[in-house]
Amino acid sequence: MNRFLPLVILLVLALFLGLGLRKDPSIVPSPLINQPAPSFELPELRDVNKTVTKETSLGTPYLLNVWATWCANCRVEHPVLMQIANDGRIPIVGLNYKDDRPAALQWLTDYGDPYRDIAYDESGRVSIDFGVYGAPETFLIDSEGNVRHKVIGPISVELWQETLLPMLAEL
Amino acid sequence: MSAELGQFAVILALVLALVQATLPLIGTFNGNTRFMRVAHSTAWGQFIFLSLAIACLAHAMLSNDFSVRYVANTSSIALPEIYKITAIWGGHEGALLLWTFIFSIWCVAVSTFSKSIPLDMTARVLAVMGMVAVGFLLFMLLTSSPFERLAIVPADGNDLNPLLQDPGMIIHPPMLYVGYSGFSVAFAFAIAALLSGRFDAAWARWSRPWTTVAWIFLTLGISLGSWWAYHELGWGGWWFWDPVENASFMPWLAGTALIHSLAVAEKRGSFKSWTILLAISAFSLSLLGTFLVRSGVLTSVHAFANDPARGLFILVFLSLFIGGSLALFAWRAPGINRGSHFELASKETALLLNNLFLAALTAIVLFGTLAPLIYDALNLGKISVGFPWFNLMFVFITPLMFVLMGLGPLIQWKKQTGAELFSRVKWLALGSILLAVACATPLFTPAWSWLTGLGTGLVAWITSTSIKALIEHTSKRKTLGFWQDFSGRSRSFYGMLVAHLGMAMLILGVTYVSIYDMEKDVSIRPGETYSLNDYSFRFDDIRELTGPNYTSYMAEFELYKNNKLIGNLSPEKRVYNIQTMPMTEASVNTGLMRDVYVSLGEPLGDGAWAVRLYYKPMVRWIWLGSIFMALGGLLSVTDRRYRQKARHTSTSNEAVISQAS
């Protein structure tokens, strides 16, 4: 056995680990990036008589936020969404995912309502079209209805300031 | 105040570690015995200061001091006291503190039990351990101190992750850490040997008990983790090939190889450079495991707080440390003698093959764990290497290793004619093969299954050859009598047989539970009954409970076997108040030959509940086997030759060799 072999193996391994540090394994590329968002038509959560469609939001960029009351990380994310809503630079459209309507309404009363519209996706069909893995997930959609970015997991203040705001400025 | 005191204690421990890493080593170069002796005091000093740090953190936990960030993140007012204590290692920072504390216990142990070892050797070993301590203490102080204060004090903490609020989690992490950090002793002995250039049998004999003790703890730690996952995660699995599990499994595989090659190095003086390399690998893999778990380079169900800065620190530490060791190895390797000659059919060859198999398995696990990362780094896309791949690889390689494992105890050192060996085992081999074929046919099992045959045949082979080895051994020692023989130098031989039998039990459990387990998802209302195999489950009632920091639904099931009531099961669905995370507490009716298992799912409306029923044949044998393996290790370390005082003359070496069978 070559006595330098173990050292060489280690160096190669360290190189890959170093490269790996610069990648984030939780970024799963979405095939929808730069593609038109799937069209949908769902009842509005807060008002049963209204419907929310993809066309409702055409004309301005918006965030589509997938959330549910059973999702612990949505609780974590919620204050950040409130901040974004108060900031007023971009409207947030909610996609309430496999949830219970009374519970979802109670949540909005308890913690505040950052959403312009909320589509109530009880069966989860529309979320499947969007390729949702789990809640929370957030899509940045431009004024023509194309998906520009996807965030898996809760949005943090840093992510909003360092990623989403610059992207929004370019739209 | 306690947080500042704790932080200060850690800083003092770091200072002592720096002294321990340098002074004794300088002493060995210029022969200054006072410098060399310093290592003993610094080891004790570190232990005392780190105990103080642990005590400070415990005080902060128990007094609900949420001004400490770590306490606010991992505890809450309503958390039961026992979990406030375990919350000390329930998060990254505290786990690191526990690691360094356990490591200091190892240093003290080495300092205490090495009186019979030459002073310069002890000084080198403790100096190397001092370097490890410096690395970990710096890591803690620079990137992850558990004593950091918060500017704004929250009224209540975030609570301990509900998954960790479980008895299995109380002892699983400490066990693992004892194992991980224990491999550092074997590592330190290997580096000390490289530094001194002395690679005699005495070196191997000194490292052996330390390695075995670390291995015992790692074995128990891993199987506790598996047992915890089985009853806490609620999906009935006992091993998931998750990166974090793999991180603990790789050092175990390398450590197992190390134990075997140390036997050759001690008794025959062969395989020395290979043994040193294994000692370096076992500890390096422990460090790598720490890196993988803490840096967030891989996604895992055990999501710890991920922080690239931490990852970078460990990577640099790991590269310097392991790189330095391997460079030292490359430099010194030509000086290591090759040891005595041996024939192809000999115990040496068998153990060499055993080592190759274990090394191959380690490489497979390493590759499978890192493949997603490598693919991503090369921009080849995202992949995940899952269950089927690992299982396939293991089913291919391990049977060959187990065949060898049966032969191992029967082969003699140095020389053995193949024909003689064959005549001793031919009936056992034939019997095992026949049993394997019989078990594969639908005669004994519900359907054709060559895997059942393979597993059962291997178990029969290992068991029968172990018994044969025992009979041959005792008939040779007839004059001694069993107890005298057992209390003497044969104890490590018995230990080996017990550990091998433990492995056979594990194979049996794994085979049967993998092939014959059953599960059924049902929607069930109170009063209804469902059956699975011979068992029927009657759903009696469901009620709401309030725990100290959670609310739960507890279902009551009656379990019948062939219409006879054999027990009650009460699975729970808990929602923890603070983290609002639903948790499934499965309820298990355990038995030596099978477990029956209910876990409660979601309410489906109209009083119906989604419930999952499991039938897990022989699953207990997996953990029973692990306990036997650990027991075997325990027998080996209590062998008389490790209990005896200084014996590093060459005559006693030969005595050991002639004793070895």
Side-chain angles (χ1 to χ4, degrees):
Chain A
M1 185 180 56
N2 190 315
R3 60 203 165 100
F4 291 102
L5 188 66
L7 193 59
V8 173
I9 293 175
L10 172 80
L11 291 177
V12 173
L13 211 60
L15 180 75
F16 277 117
L17 293 176
L19 286 172
L21 271 182
R22 298 165 52 188
K23 308 251 174 177
D24 186 345
S26 61
I27 297 172
V28 182
S30 166
L32 287 174
I33 302 286
N34 295 327
Q35 298 292 320
S39 47
F40 59 91
E41 187 176 346
L42 285 171
E44 156 72 30
L45 175 77
R46 293 160 297 193
D47 185 351
V48 201
N49 301 320
K50 267 171 57 179
T51 52
V52 185
T53 62
K54 184 186 166 188
E55 285 68 34
T56 321
S57 305
L58 285 182
T60 48
Y62 64 100
L63 291 176
L64 183 81
N65 174 251
V66 183
W67 67 286
T69 54
W70 45 260
C71 138
N73 275 328
C74 296
R75 272 279 292 281
V76 176
E77 183 185 55
H78 196 267
V80 183
L81 292 179
M82 289 304 288
Q83 239 179 327
I84 297 175
N86 291 335
D87 186 59
R89 260 181 271 199
I90 185 167
I92 309 173
V93 175
L95 183 61
N96 185 246
Y97 175 46
K98 287 191 182 172
D99 212 345
D100 172 46
R101 190 188 290 260
L105 291 173
Q106 188 59 43
W107 164 292
L108 297 174
T109 328
D110 289 350
Y111 307 119
D113 184 352
Y115 302 106
R116 189 187 64 193
D117 305 299
I118 305 176
Y120 181 48
D121 188 16
E122 190 177 10
S123 64
R125 278 291 327 178
V126 170
S127 303
I128 291 172
D129 292 342
F130 272 89
V132 169
Y133 283 82
E137 280 186 20
T138 305
F139 298 83
L140 174 63
I141 297 174
D142 67 15
S143 48
E144 280 95 49
N146 297 314
V147 175
R148 302 303 287 264
H149 189 63
K150 176 184 182 182
V151 180
I152 294 174
I155 301 181
S156 61
V157 177
E158 293 84 51
L159 191 100
W160 162 243
Q161 282 170 349
E162 284 158 25
T163 312
L164 293 176
L165 269 183
M167 290 189 98
L168 183 59
E170 279 174 28
L171 290 181
Chain B
M1 253 319 277
S2 72
E4 284 68 29
L5 192 62
Q7 179 82 351
F8 190 55
V10 175
I11 294 172
L12 286 178
L14 173 65
V15 172
L16 288 177
L18 279 166
V19 174
Q20 184 176 325
T22 46
L23 268 195
L25 214 50
I26 297 171
T28 62
F29 285 121
N30 59 19
N32 186 334
T33 53
R34 275 169 59 201
F35 274 19
M36 289 192 244
R37 281 211 184 84
V38 164
H40 293 288
S41 345
T42 53
W44 275 102
Q46 277 183 70
F47 168 69
I48 290 164
F49 286 124
L50 289 171
S51 313
L52 182 66
I54 290 266
C56 289
L57 191 56
H59 176 258
M61 283 285 176
L62 291 172
S63 60
N64 294 323
D65 184 356
F66 298 124
S67 69
V68 179
R69 182 197 295 271
Y70 181 74
V71 178
N73 279 338
T74 54
S75 180
S76 72
I77 295 168
L79 187 68
E81 296 234 312
I82 178 73
Y83 292 127
K84 280 184 182 164
I85 297 290
T86 65
I88 291 174
W89 55 85
H92 164 75
E93 293 87 348
L96 203 58
L97 180 62
L98 181 73
W99 202 103
T100 56
F101 170 68
I102 289 172
F103 187 77
S104 74
I105 299 178
W106 279 104
C107 289
V108 165
V110 168
S111 147
T112 311
F113 296 111
S114 299
K115 300 280 190 276
S116 61
I117 298 177
L119 180 62
D120 63 326
M121 198 67 184
T122 319
R124 284 192 196 96
V125 169
L126 285 171
V128 174
M129 293 181 78
M131 293 175 202
V132 178
V134 168
F136 273 88
L137 290 168
L138 265 182
F139 179 45
M140 181 157 65
L141 287 171
L142 294 180
T143 70
S144 6
S145 170
F147 298 110
E148 211 174 295
R149 293 274 189 190
L150 284 169
I152 301 155
V153 181
D156 196 357
N158 249 338
D159 206 6
L160 180 62
N161 184 340
L163 276 174
L164 306 182
Q165 298 187 30
D166 177 84
M169 266 297 128
I170 296 175
I171 42 176
H172 159 65
M175 286 281 200
L176 274 187
Y177 295 161
V178 174
Y180 281 157
S181 55
F183 280 139
S184 72
V185 184
F187 168 79
F189 269 102
I191 298 297
L194 286 173
L195 285 171
S196 70
R198 285 210 310 263
F199 308 98
D200 44 13
W203 159 74
R205 190 167 59 247
W206 296 329
S207 331
R208 257 185 109 178
W210 297 104
T211 312
T212 310
V213 171
W215 180 88
I216 292 170
F217 279 102
L218 195 57
T219 307
L220 289 175
I222 295 174
S223 62
L224 265 171
S226 149
W227 174 74
W228 166 79
Y230 172 77
H231 81 115
E232 182 74 352
L233 297 180
W235 53 52
W238 48 273
W239 190 260
F240 303 97
W241 297 113
D242 178 83
V244 173
E245 289 174 333
N246 293 347
S248 67
F249 192 37
M250 288 186 281
W252 188 86
L253 288 169
T256 310
L258 177 60
I259 285 178
H260 290 89
S261 82
L262 272 172
V264 187
E266 184 198 348
K267 289 182 174 163
R268 301 293 312 155
S270 303
F271 298 178
K272 279 176 192 156
S273 54
W274 175 243
T275 307
I276 285 176
L277 204 55
L278 277 177
I280 297 175
S281 309
F283 184 58
S284 304
L285 288 167
S286 306
L287 286 183
L288 181 73
T290 318
F291 173 79
L292 293 180
V293 179
R294 309 286 162 183
S295 63
V297 291
L298 294 169
T299 42
S300 153
V301 292
H302 302 61
F304 269 99
N306 300 329
D307 181 348
R310 287 174 187 163
L312 190 65
F313 185 101
I314 309 179
L315 186 61
V316 170
F317 173 54
L318 192 123
S319 308
L320 285 179
F321 215 80
I322 307 173
S325 316
L326 292 177
L328 185 65
F329 173 79
W331 178 44
R332 287 289 200 178
I336 306 174
N337 64 25
R338 299 248 153 216
S340 42
H341 175 77
F342 55 88
E343 301 289 324
L344 184 63
S346 64
K347 196 168 222 153
E348 283 93 330
T349 311
L351 283 166
L352 183 65
L353 285 173
N354 144 299
N355 268 240
L356 289 178
F357 280 128
L358 284 167
L361 292 175
T362 314
I364 285 168
V365 179
L366 183 67
F367 174 77
T369 311
L370 294 183
L373 192 126
I374 294 173
Y375 268 65
D376 200 11
L378 295 175
N379 288 319
L380 293 174
K382 304 263 180 188
I383 59 155
S384 76
V385 179
F387 243 94
W389 186 82
F390 282 110
N391 285 354
L392 184 72
M393 290 313 228
F394 269 66
V395 169
F396 259 111
I397 292 181
T398 50
L400 294 169
M401 192 172 81
F402 293 139
V403 168
L404 204 63
M405 186 169 154
L407 282 178
L410 293 168
I411 311 181
Q412 271 136 34
W413 292 108
K414 211 170 168 185
K415 200 173 161 187
Q416 168 95 52
T417 60
E420 192 263 342
L421 183 65
F422 178 73
S423 74
R424 273 156 74 205
V425 298
K426 62 182 178 215
W427 295 115
L428 301 180
L430 188 67
S432 305
I433 293 169
L434 284 179
L435 185 68
V437 173
C439 284
T441 62
L443 223 64
F444 286 89
T445 67
W448 276 95
S449 163
W450 67 272
L451 278 176
T452 317
L454 182 68
T456 319
L458 285 170
V459 170
W461 167 246
I462 296 171
T463 313
S464 60
T465 48
S466 297
I467 292 170
K468 175 145 182 79
L470 183 68
I471 293 170
E472 287 184 4
H473 176 88
T474 44
S475 67
K476 241 187 280 173
R477 309 269 157 110
K478 233 180 240 154
T479 47
L480 268 171
F482 176 75
W483 282 111
Q484 208 183 339
D485 183 38
F486 180 77
S487 64
R489 285 203 208 105
S490 293
R491 197 178 292 182
S492 60
F493 176 79
Y494 292 114
M496 171 189 69
L497 292 183
V498 170
H500 283 187
L501 283 176
M503 192 72 225
M505 292 160 103
L506 190 136
I507 300 169
L508 195 68
V510 169
T511 307
Y512 279 81
V513 80
S514 309
I515 301 173
Y516 298 111
D517 72 331
M518 284 182 226
E519 59 179 75
K520 195 171 181 181
D521 282 304
V522 297
S523 154
I524 187 167
R525 285 186 182 77
E528 290 179 344
T529 302
Y530 267 94
S531 10
L532 179 70
N533 210 15
D534 296 337
Y535 298 89
S536 4
F537 302 77
R538 195 189 123 84
F539 186 10
D540 274 346
D541 191 17
I542 187 153
R543 58 202 160 89
E544 263 191 276
L545 282 179
T546 313
N549 54 344
Y550 59 85
T551 52
S552 94
Y553 284 101
M554 186 194 266
E556 293 291 346
F557 280 84
E558 280 175 351
L559 179 66
Y560 295 87
K561 184 181 186 184
N562 301 327
N563 298 323
K564 222 176 82 194
L565 182 69
I566 56 167
N568 291 302
L569 293 168
S570 34
E572 273 183 75
K573 185 104 198 155
R574 289 183 186 167
V575 177
Y576 282 81
N577 299 341
I578 295 177
Q579 303 203 349
T580 61
M581 187 201 256
M583 287 287 310
T584 306
E585 296 280 321
S587 179
V588 189
N589 182 287
T590 60
L592 190 61
M593 300 312 285
R594 93 289 171 276
D595 274 12
V596 186
Y597 194 126
V598 178
S599 75
L600 190 61
E602 306 292 326
L604 299 172
D606 316 330
W609 284 77
V611 165
R612 190 173 275 189
L613 313 173
Y614 294 95
Y615 167 74
K616 296 262 168 196
M618 307 198 82
V619 67
R620 295 278 132 189
W621 289 69
I622 294 173
W623 304 302
L624 204 62
S626 310
I627 292 172
F628 267 74
M629 281 194 255
L631 206 64
L634 189 66
L635 285 176
S636 297
V637 275
T638 51
D639 190 290
R640 187 149 140 219
R641 69 173 175 279
Y642 303 122
R643 285 176 282 146
Q644 274 173 346
K645 290 236 158 163
R647 296 169 356 99
H648 22 243
T649 56
S650 59
T651 45
S652 63
N653 271 340
E654 273 150 26
V656 172
I657 291 165
S658 64
Q659 278 281 334
S661 48

